[in-house]
Amino acid sequence: APFAAEVARKYSYDEDEDADQAGGLVGAGKAGREQALHRLTHVFLPDANVTEAGAAGEIASVCGAIEELDLEGNPISEWRPVLDIAAQLPRLTWLGLNRLPLSPLSTLPNDFASALGRMRSLCLSRTGMAWDQFLLLASAMPELTSLHFGANGVTSLAPSDGNVLLASRLSKLAVLWVEDNAIRLWDAVAPLSELPALEVLNLNGNQISRLPNPIHGFRALKQILLRGNPLSDWESITAIDSFPSLRDAALRDIPLIAGLSASSQRRSIIARLSGLKMLNGSEVRKREREDAERFYLRTISEQYPEGGLPADAVP
């Protein structure tokens, strides 16, 4: 169905229908509905039946004020309908394309940058898209600050083309979600280390078993999520403290701490990460940190009752 028709189907209401019903818009009669659609800024059409842009100029005249658009799960497999829709939405900066099996592009269409070059947030999870394909798209998206790229079978975040410089290609990217992919080695993540603006990195549900210590780069990173990765040694936890700006971490469901109580898990991690202000969504308070460090030292001293603490025991 044409895009504007699907918008009208979801966001309009009949004249005799209560405007307070879910999805309803204030207005009366056909003129009121058209006026209300024209004011829409956030449109969410997951699993609708959008297949095309429709008649030329129709979107711009009916609902041209859209700033955020979610097309997740619609029956779109080519880029042409996406470009034709976005080209008529000059305020659009947030675009959700999750679960759209978009055919790969070898080169970008001539109108790609004019249609999507304004995007600041892009959702491409569960599309089956290759990382190199995204990097091609990103070459025409200089304003991109947030990317969701989960569950795409990604094994490495390194560009296969050695001439692609991630620091320039993704110069404004601040938030990257690559959860539930197939990343096993930190070397596959390390190419992100030079991104100048990267503050949030979601690696939940990958297969990383070890982190190098120290970790280099990632100067701006404030939050890392590693829930569900098979981290297997404490040195990998300690390595997280080498992110110079890190304040927030998610470290649940990892085998290293599976045998500990929830409170012992938390104390053991906090004691090793001196800069952490949030752990698993909860604030690390001063008293909690002091208790955690005492707990850590007591545990270590029990392990070394005669010879004293090893030189690297105190965090």
Side-chain angles (χ1 to χ4, degrees), residues 88-104:
Q88 298 183 60
L89 300 173
R91 301 181 188 178
L92 187 68
T93 58
W94 188 104
L95 181 59
L97 302 175
N98 292 341
R99 296 193 290 114
L100 267 60
L102 295 163
S103 297

Side-chain angles (χ1 to χ4, degrees), residues 4 8 17 53 69-70 73 113 126 155 164 172 177 196 198 206 209-210 233 251 256 264 266 314:
E17 190 175 337
L69 172 60
D70 186 6
R126 300 185 184 277
T155 58
V164 174
K172 294 186 178 182
W177 289 53
L198 187 64
N206 277 278
S209 60
R210 186 178 180 279
D233 59 76
L251 292 165
L256 175 66
S264 293
R266 189 171 174 85
V314 180

